[in-house]
Amino acid sequence: MTRVVLATAYGGPEVLAVVDEPVGDPGPGQARIGVRAAGVNPADWKSYTGAFGSDPGRLPKRLGFEVSGVVTAVGPDAVGPAGPLSVGAEVVGFRVSGGYAAELVVPTAALVPKPASLGWEQAAGLMLTGATAVHALTATGVGAGGTVLVHGAAGGVGLMAVQLAGLRGARVVGTVGGDGAELVRRFGAEPVRYGDGLADRVRAAAPGGVDAAVDLVGTDEAVDVSLELVADRRRIATIAAFGRAAADGIQALGGGPGADPGAELRDAARLELAEAAGAGRLEVVVAGTFPLEEVAAAHRQGMAGHTHGKLVLVP
């Protein structure tokens, strides 16, 4: 038996429960891992708040798309993207299903080696935000010599996008609220506060113009300012404002209606992200850690929308 988090109904974090469930032996192309940490992401709470539908036939449902941990058993043909896996290997798992658990059986295709220099919490928070940022920057053609506007720069995906755009040689202007400006500036971006007058503040920060924009918050302001400042709508992408994307002809990325999931690109980014983080070129900012039993508190903090970096569960 192992402890797992279940959403027992549709609603708020109060529907979450930690229960004991059996954990099986790995079959062909699978491994069992002892989870050391699990990343918390908006997609986790959207799965039970009704944002992705409310089919009662899908309840109860397990949560969690990314983990770090140690391989405790392997099935036949246990080969991951970096090669064969063995018991004792330290790994990062993405994309997995039901990662909010103490132990988990996963496809070995989801497992890449954990960099030795990376802590468990950082490793568990690396992949979903990092792969999302890679997808957004690639889709909008961000590269050397360009300027990109990142909406929501102090969030989990935002901090990854800021750093990865910088590694590509781009100049970054990032929108922030609260006390996120210092953190965004530390990673080489120019922070600007969102709210009335945002377009003018971005123009002042980037007098040479903005070549691309990445919306990570989904507000009308983010989309409107992007449309005002970026000439080519194909170089504007959103991971949240799916209705606006369809109406305004910008790119929608991720798991929303009509969006490009970018699965192949995101999978291919995993080894690159692990290498960059292991070499110290990419930092995972952990905003807070919670025991598995306090998953509801972790989700309430994440849903408040002012977290700078990643929230992580520790079984």
Side-chain angles (χ1 to χ4, degrees):
M1 303 292 282
T2 187
R3 292 175 298 134
V4 306
V5 173
L6 290 180
T8 59
Y10 291 101
E14 70 278 358
V15 306
L16 301 178
V18 179
V19 303
D20 288 329
E21 285 197 350
V23 57
D25 293 323
Q30 294 182 327
R32 189 173 66 227
I33 58 174
V35 178
R36 296 293 187 267
V40 173
N41 296 284
D44 299 330
W45 57 76
K46 288 180 180 179
S47 72
Y48 65 83
T49 56
F52 296 156
S54 53
D55 179 2
R58 302 184 67 184
L59 294 171
K61 63 173 62 183
R62 290 180 58 171
L63 310 177
F65 296 110
E66 59 180 342
V67 298
S68 62
V70 178
V71 175
T72 58
V74 296
D77 302 317
V79 180
L85 289 161
S86 58
V87 172
E90 298 184 349
V91 293
V92 181
F94 176 74
R95 176 174 177 143
V96 303
S97 178
Y100 289 11
E103 200 166 16
L104 185 68
V105 173
V106 301
T108 53
L111 300 176
V112 299
K114 182 186 82 68
S117 61
L118 215 58
W120 295 114
E121 293 85 358
Q122 287 76 21
L126 170 64
M127 290 298 175
L128 193 148
T129 54
T132 302
V134 168
H135 188 192
L137 297 174
T138 302
T140 53
V142 173
T147 298
V148 58
L149 172 62
V150 176
H151 295 278
V157 179
L159 290 173
M160 284 289 168
V162 165
Q163 295 178 76
L164 290 166
L167 290 175
R168 292 178 176 217
R171 181 161 184 256
V172 184
V173 177
T175 71
V176 298
D179 57 354
E182 182 178 343
L183 184 59
V184 168
R185 187 177 287 112
R186 177 162 73 84
F187 289 122
E190 179 66 28
V192 294
R193 193 159 300 277
Y194 59 74
D196 290 346
L198 174 59
D200 290 336
R201 288 191 291 278
V202 174
R203 288 189 182 96
V210 175
D211 303 297
V214 175
D215 165 37
L216 308 175
V217 293
T219 62
D220 284 334
E221 176 190 67
V223 176
D224 290 341
V225 169
S226 299
L227 290 168
E228 183 176 343
L229 298 179
V230 178
D232 185 351
R233 294 191 178 198
R234 293 171 299 178
R235 301 196 65 188
I236 303 172
T238 181
I239 67 167
F242 300 115
R244 289 294 307 269
D248 294 306
I250 64 176
Q251 294 192 68
L253 310 177
D260 169 19
E264 185 175 334
L265 190 155
R266 294 185 185 211
D267 284 349
R270 293 174 300 174
L271 291 173
E272 169 195 344
L273 290 165
E275 192 277 330
R281 297 193 304 274
L282 189 61
E283 180 180 338
V284 181
V285 176
V286 175
T289 60
F290 295 80
L292 204 61
E293 288 72 17
E294 295 180 15
V295 59
H299 279 205
R300 288 188 184 99
Q301 181 171 328
M303 292 164 80
H306 302 295
T307 298
H308 303 321
K310 288 283 298 193
L311 299 174
V312 178
L313 298 175
V314 180

